[in-house]
Amino acid sequence: MFLRILKKDLTRKKTMNIILLIFVILSAMFASSSINNMISVYGGIDYFCDKAGMSDYVVISRNSDGMNPSDDIIKNAGSITEYRKEDTIYYASNNLLKNGETYCEFENAGIITCIDNVKLNYFNRDNEVITEVQEGHVYVGGLLADPDKTTIGDRITIKYDDVELEVVIDGYIKDALFGSPFLQNARILMNAADYDKLACEDDIQYSNGGAIYYIFTDDLKALKGDMSSLPNALFAKEKSVLRMTYMLDMLTAGLLLVVSICLILIAFTMLSFTIKFTLTEDFREIGVMKAVGLKNKQIRGLYMVKYLFISLIGAVIGYFASIPFGKLLLASVSDTMVLGNDDQVFIGIISSLAVVFIILAFCYSCTRSIKKLSPIDAVRNGETGERHHRRSSLRLSKSPFESNFFLALNDVVSKPRQYVSMVITFTVCILLIAMLANAANTLTSDNLIFLFGTTESDVYYNSTEKIMEIMGCGDENRVDEMIDEIEETLKENNMPGEAHIELMYLLPVEFGDTRMQVQMQQCKTTKTTDYVYNEGVAPLYENEIAFTPQIMEQLGASIGDKVIMEVNGERREFIITATFISFNQLGECGRVHQDLPLKSNELASAFGFQIDFDDHPDAEEIDNRIEKLKTIFDTTKIYNTAEFVDTSTSSSSTITMAKNMVIIIALIIAALITVLMERSFISNEVNEIALMKAIGFKNRSITAQHTLRFVVVVIISGILAGLLVLPFTKLVCDRIFGVMGAISGIVYDIHPLEIFLIYPLILMCGVIIAAYLTSLLTRTIHPDSMGNIE
């Protein structure tokens, strides 16, 4: 009997059951794929590092006079159990040419490595270890392993002054050290004979040679102390910091998990409405079943069999759909990492079964209202005939709205519980889109410029070539000479202005028994008071210093404490006067006073040259001058403030991609919910629709009224989302920026037109189309349907 009733119910309510099935499929698909992806990405980073042979600590250093001064310190450090040295040659984007033009523009220095000297395992796209590179051929990795920037098979020239080497790109590599797009480094893996052609040149070794040290230790704290005095170090971090450079991949997986949770909650909300609506509609059948002696548990069991059937089918389809869907979402990540998840099938099945279990438990809870129904309800058509309150405070005679909109608004106001699930669903959809849009807009705005430890300028000129020259020449005056050259060029082209540059030095810092190397920022032509601090007072004297909270925590120091810092070989005492927030080095850096004398041999890196025009032009004129400067300096790496922030973070595109995906998902969800609810409304309002037609309402008026109800719901959802968007954005995105190093102080760039109008309108358009098409079913109801109780 149960099976016959089930078959009849599934046949009678095809549309509602199909939509419920779609929600279960989506829930199972997203749950399985997102949980598997989270495990693959979070666990995959460690898996990738282990497969590659990544060490506990990595030091990247450059040569001085053709020799590497880090060798002796690393050899004699007692905290090191083992180390491996990988000789390298550094290059800038203008060292890679194709047909005489720069092959690929990038900001940071690239690294050339010999295949015979590698100390890590490098993998091709098929996850096979690369053990051989043919002479005249190379593999590229890091920033260059991008089909949008490079093409396999291209013939390029590596050129240093008079030395030229022509090679062919054979493929892309997965590089555990530089594979993250956050680092923005480019690696070239080449044959030993080709490498020797470059390495044997004294000029190249003198100014562009270096090494990467892969260090193993049993005492990381002691190791950091031993490494604090490394000269010429460009990078010195533990493996845990390298792991965080893959945070954008983790972010994408995390966002998908949030979307999955929201989707499952939406599915439960819709399920709750559907069950309650079904029970209300089935009052006659339930009353009759009770009259013939069926117990509450038996009747509830009947509904549970139905939802078990739907949830099992949905879970099976969702699980199989999650396999290609998960691979699609991980495509960009798997291009840069060797992922390992041996329990993928098991986790997918468990996730799908968990969705089934949760749905059944939820359904059982929702069917409690069966207890309240009695056989007499079948006689009373499910109504008691009692109502002790007015249905609505709206009056047509006093309403400024035309009749269709009034009826739609009155319907929503008089039966709010019927629409609350839609309001919640649409609000969540708008919030998800708005949150991601706010994050992407913030990462491409000038609001974050202070997080790079720079002042706001009119123009930012990134030149890897000039930075490498500064770091390799050993001339204390070369920076000033470059600034003078830039200012003279500006003057000659009728754009007079001043230029300056933020330099970064790796200096040993000691507090108590903690000793570590910290990247310190300094600009000799600005003042420390020009920068933003979150606590304390800017350093005003040479013996004052500021750190980020992350460094303060590692040192165990507070504002007012004194630290020992080694400057130019001399141990000096400095007072900590302030803390500041920064993206640099994932939030691990400091700032010294502009008058503190620092030598160029301690220089680790630098930001781009900053230009401030004397005549203070507006934004439009600045953009025009940027285009002129690109031609003058023969480069594309000249930006305004917002472009510089976007280039430096390299994360807005990832979040924008996630936002676009969520928009599509939100539209699908909104359309499905609208169809489900409108079908339910039509089924429940047959008598009302028939009465309206009997008294003269046209089909188009009834269709308009039904469609406008959803418009009212979207408007209410848009208002609620507008009120919640900022706290919701801060709740989610503060964690994102915290991983990047900015643990506080983020000022979000909210575009009101986009957030409060465009995205709600996009959702509204999808809802209107779905509601209108579904409301056309009202044309099948005729005035004589009022007496039909089938």
Side-chain angles (χ1 to χ4, degrees):
M1 180 183 71
F2 274 18
L3 291 177
R4 288 200 304 271
I5 296 174
L6 173 63
K7 182 179 179 181
K8 181 181 178 182
D9 186 79
L10 291 174
T11 304
R12 184 165 57 95
K13 301 176 181 177
K14 288 181 181 178
T15 303
M16 294 180 66
N17 290 328
I18 288 172
I19 292 175
L20 277 178
L21 178 63
I22 291 173
F23 271 111
V24 175
I25 291 172
L26 289 174
S27 298
M29 182 179 74
F30 271 84
S32 299
S33 60
S34 61
I35 292 174
N36 262 319
N37 287 1
M38 286 286 287
I39 294 172
S40 294
V41 174
Y42 277 80
I45 296 170
D46 291 330
Y47 179 85
F48 183 30
C49 288
D50 290 341
K51 293 283 286 185
M54 179 58 68
S55 59
D56 301 315
Y57 200 83
V58 176
V59 173
I60 303 175
S61 66
R62 59 186 173 83
N63 290 346
S64 178
D65 297 330
M67 303 295 292
N68 201 304
S70 301
D71 276 348
D72 291 337
I73 295 176
I74 292 176
K75 285 179 182 178
N76 298 320
S79 58
I80 295 178
T81 57
E82 179 189 354
Y83 79 92
R84 303 166 187 167
K85 180 183 177 183
E86 194 173 78
D87 291 319
T88 62
I89 297 173
Y90 300 110
Y91 65 94
S93 59
N94 69 342
N95 294 123
L96 295 187
L97 306 175
K98 181 181 179 181
N99 299 326
E101 302 290 334
T102 300
Y103 178 57
C104 178
E105 294 279 3
F106 49 87
E107 311 297 335
N108 295 344
I111 292 176
I112 299 175
T113 308
C114 170
I115 186 63
D116 291 351
N117 187 43
V118 296
K119 305 306 177 186
L120 289 182
N121 291 324
Y122 300 100
F123 303 86
N124 59 24
R125 287 292 169 89
D126 295 325
N127 295 334
E128 299 169 340
V129 178
I130 299 172
T131 58
E132 183 181 1
V133 180
Q134 295 180 24
E135 188 173 352
H137 295 255
V138 296
Y139 283 85
V140 296
L143 196 68
L144 293 178
D146 183 350
D148 293 331
K149 293 184 172 68
T150 61
T151 303
I152 295 174
D154 278 353
R155 184 174 295 276
I156 61 175
T157 301
I158 303 173
K159 177 179 173 62
Y160 291 91
D161 296 327
D162 297 330
V163 180
E164 294 187 12
L165 177 65
E166 192 174 85
V167 294
V168 177
I169 298 177
D170 273 0
Y172 298 141
I173 60 173
K174 298 183 180 182
D175 182 354
L177 180 57
F178 296 123
S180 164
F182 190 79
L183 287 178
Q184 300 190 53
N185 290 98
R187 190 194 288 268
I188 293 178
L189 194 62
M190 65 169 50
N191 180 275
D194 291 330
Y195 184 87
D196 290 341
K197 292 176 185 176
L198 300 176
C200 68
E201 296 291 333
D202 292 337
D203 289 343
I204 295 177
Q205 279 297 312
Y206 182 85
S207 57
N208 297 288
I212 302 176
Y213 297 88
Y214 300 100
I215 300 171
F216 297 84
T217 182
D218 295 328
D219 189 345
L220 186 59
K221 183 177 180 180
L223 174 67
K224 292 171 75 173
D226 290 340
M227 297 297 102
S228 63
S229 57
L230 280 176
N232 291 17
L234 306 178
F235 181 88
K237 293 294 179 183
E238 59 268 33
K239 184 167 66 173
S240 61
V241 174
L242 292 172
R243 186 181 187 277
M244 294 310 297
T245 63
Y246 289 90
M247 61 193 167
L248 290 179
D249 299 320
M250 293 187 280
L251 168 62
T252 304
L255 288 173
L256 287 173
L257 187 60
V258 171
V259 171
S260 301
I261 293 171
C262 291
L263 182 63
I264 293 170
L265 292 176
I266 289 170
F268 289 164
T269 303
M270 289 299 100
L271 196 59
S272 173
F273 167 81
T274 306
I275 292 172
K276 291 175 182 178
F277 174 80
T278 301
L279 295 179
T280 303
E281 191 181 42
D282 291 351
F283 65 90
R284 186 174 294 103
E285 288 87 344
I286 295 172
V288 171
M289 283 190 285
K290 287 195 173 185
V292 299
L294 292 179
K295 304 297 183 182
N296 285 324
K297 288 184 177 180
Q298 293 174 308
I299 299 173
R300 293 177 79 177
L302 174 63
Y303 285 95
M304 292 304 296
V305 170
K306 169 188 172 180
Y307 293 115
L308 173 62
F309 179 75
I310 292 175
S311 60
L312 282 176
I313 293 178
V316 171
I317 298 174
Y319 165 72
F320 285 105
S322 72
I323 297 173
F325 182 67
K327 289 181 179 179
L328 175 66
L329 296 176
L330 279 179
S332 61
V333 183
S334 61
D335 284 344
T336 58
M337 287 195 295
V338 178
L339 298 176
N341 184 1
D342 297 331
D343 300 322
Q344 187 170 356
V345 174
F346 176 75
I347 292 169
I349 293 174
I350 292 297
S351 300
S352 300
L353 289 177
V355 171
V356 172
F357 177 79
I358 295 172
I359 288 175
L360 289 179
F362 185 76
C363 291
Y364 189 78
S365 174
C366 290
T367 56
R368 287 178 300 179
S369 58
I370 289 176
K371 297 178 181 179
K372 299 178 182 179
L373 296 175
S374 64
I376 199 66
D377 288 310
V379 179
R380 292 177 175 173
N381 284 351
E383 298 287 345
T384 62
E386 298 178 346
R387 189 173 76 229
H388 301 288
H389 60 277
R390 288 160 56 179
R391 292 191 66 179
S392 173
S393 59
L394 300 180
R395 289 291 177 268
L396 181 60
S397 59
K398 299 179 180 180
S399 173
F401 307 117
E402 55 91 22
S403 59
N404 285 333
F405 190 79
F406 170 82
L407 289 172
L409 182 61
N410 184 68
D411 195 39
V412 175
V413 172
S414 61
K415 295 181 283 187
R417 293 180 63 184
Q418 186 169 279
Y419 295 91
V420 68
S421 58
M422 280 195 296
V423 170
I424 293 172
T425 300
F426 294 156
T427 301
V428 170
C429 288
I430 295 173
L431 282 175
L432 281 173
I433 299 169
M435 177 266 294
L436 293 171
N438 287 337
N441 292 335
T442 301
L443 287 167
T444 56
S445 75
D446 53 13
N447 289 350
L448 300 186
I449 190 63
F450 74 96
L451 291 173
F452 297 94
T454 64
T455 55
E456 187 169 352
S457 296
D458 296 328
V459 172
Y460 297 81
Y461 169 28
N462 283 347
S463 175
T464 310
E465 302 81 20
K466 292 183 182 296
I467 300 305
M468 290 179 63
E469 182 182 345
I470 292 171
M471 294 166 57
C473 70
D475 185 353
E476 301 292 335
N477 300 317
R478 187 57 185 135
V479 175
D480 295 333
E481 291 173 359
M482 285 185 177
I483 290 175
D484 291 340
E485 290 169 4
I486 292 173
E487 291 178 348
E488 184 62 29
T489 302
L490 294 173
K491 186 177 180 180
E492 290 172 356
N493 289 274
N494 300 317
M495 293 181 284
E498 296 181 352
H500 64 274
I501 185 170
E502 291 284 341
L503 302 176
M504 289 171 277
Y505 302 85
L506 274 175
L507 300 174
V509 177
E510 184 177 333
F511 180 74
D513 61 349
T514 301
R515 182 177 171 88
M516 59 188 294
Q517 201 168 47
V518 181
Q519 182 170 279
M520 308 300 297
Q521 287 186 240
Q522 183 191 55
C523 179
K524 296 185 181 297
T525 52
T526 60
K527 297 179 180 179
T528 51
T529 52
D530 296 335
Y531 300 86
V532 178
Y533 303 88
N534 64 317
E535 280 189 55
V537 180
L540 300 177
Y541 303 99
E542 281 190 30
N543 67 332
E544 294 182 346
I545 199 170
F547 290 119
T548 59
Q550 291 91 328
I551 295 295
M552 298 284 275
E553 182 180 352
Q554 292 183 41
L555 290 173
S558 304
I559 292 177
D561 287 338
K562 295 180 180 180
V563 298
I564 303 296
M565 188 166 70
E566 191 172 312
V567 180
N568 303 327
E570 177 187 354
R571 289 167 55 86
R572 296 179 56 177
E573 191 174 69
F574 291 82
I575 301 173
I576 304 173
T577 64
T579 61
F580 64 97
I581 308 300
S582 179
F583 278 157
N584 296 335
Q585 298 287 298
L586 296 176
E588 298 183 4
C589 58
R591 175 168 291 281
V592 296
H593 193 267
Q594 65 269 12
D595 294 333
L596 182 68
L598 294 172
K599 292 185 178 180
S600 62
N601 63 351
E602 294 174 326
L603 183 65
S605 186
F607 273 117
F609 293 92
Q610 297 176 231
I611 299 172
D612 295 289
F613 297 113
D614 292 343
D615 56 348
H616 309 292
D618 59 21
E620 183 178 356
E621 178 60 23
I622 289 174
D623 289 340
N624 291 334
R625 293 185 182 183
I626 286 174
E627 294 306 314
K628 294 178 183 177
L629 290 172
K630 287 180 180 178
T631 302
I632 293 168
F633 290 110
D634 190 24
T635 181
T636 60
K637 296 181 288 186
I638 299 180
Y639 314 105
N640 59 30
T641 304
E643 291 168 342
F644 177 74
V645 171
D646 185 24
T647 302
S648 299
T649 57
S650 299
S651 53
S652 64
S653 58
T654 301
I655 296 179
T656 300
M657 180 189 68
K659 178 196 71 176
N660 294 336
M661 184 187 69
V662 169
I663 290 175
I664 295 172
I665 294 171
L667 285 173
I668 293 173
I669 292 172
L672 289 173
I673 289 172
T674 301
V675 173
L676 174 64
M677 300 296 283
E678 177 59 13
R679 285 299 300 265
S680 303
F681 292 155
I682 293 172
S683 177
N684 198 38
E685 297 171 5
V686 172
N687 291 338
E688 288 89 336
I689 296 169
L691 177 61
M692 292 177 70
K693 289 190 175 185
I695 62 177
F697 277 86
K698 304 296 183 182
N699 281 325
R700 62 176 178 271
S701 294
I702 297 172
T703 301
Q705 176 208 335
H706 278 242
T707 303
L708 286 171
R709 289 192 293 195
F710 290 90
V711 173
V712 172
V713 171
V714 175
I715 292 173
I716 294 172
S717 301
I719 294 171
L720 287 175
L723 296 173
L724 297 173
V725 64
L726 185 56
F728 185 79
T729 298
K730 290 182 68 66
L731 177 67
V732 178
C733 294
D734 277 1
R735 276 68 180 170
I736 297 172
F737 290 116
V739 172
M740 298 171 72
I743 58 177
S744 65
I746 297 293
V747 178
Y748 289 97
D749 184 24
I750 296 177
H751 297 178
L753 183 65
E754 180 182 358
I755 301 303
F756 302 118
L757 185 62
I758 293 177
Y759 293 131
L761 281 178
I762 291 174
L763 193 71
M764 184 183 290
C765 289
V767 168
I768 288 174
I769 293 171
Y772 174 75
L773 293 176
T774 310
S775 67
L776 293 177
L777 290 172
T778 58
R779 298 185 178 186
T780 62
I781 300 174
H782 305 287
D784 59 2
S785 300
M786 285 188 291
N788 185 3
I789 62 172
E790 291 299 315

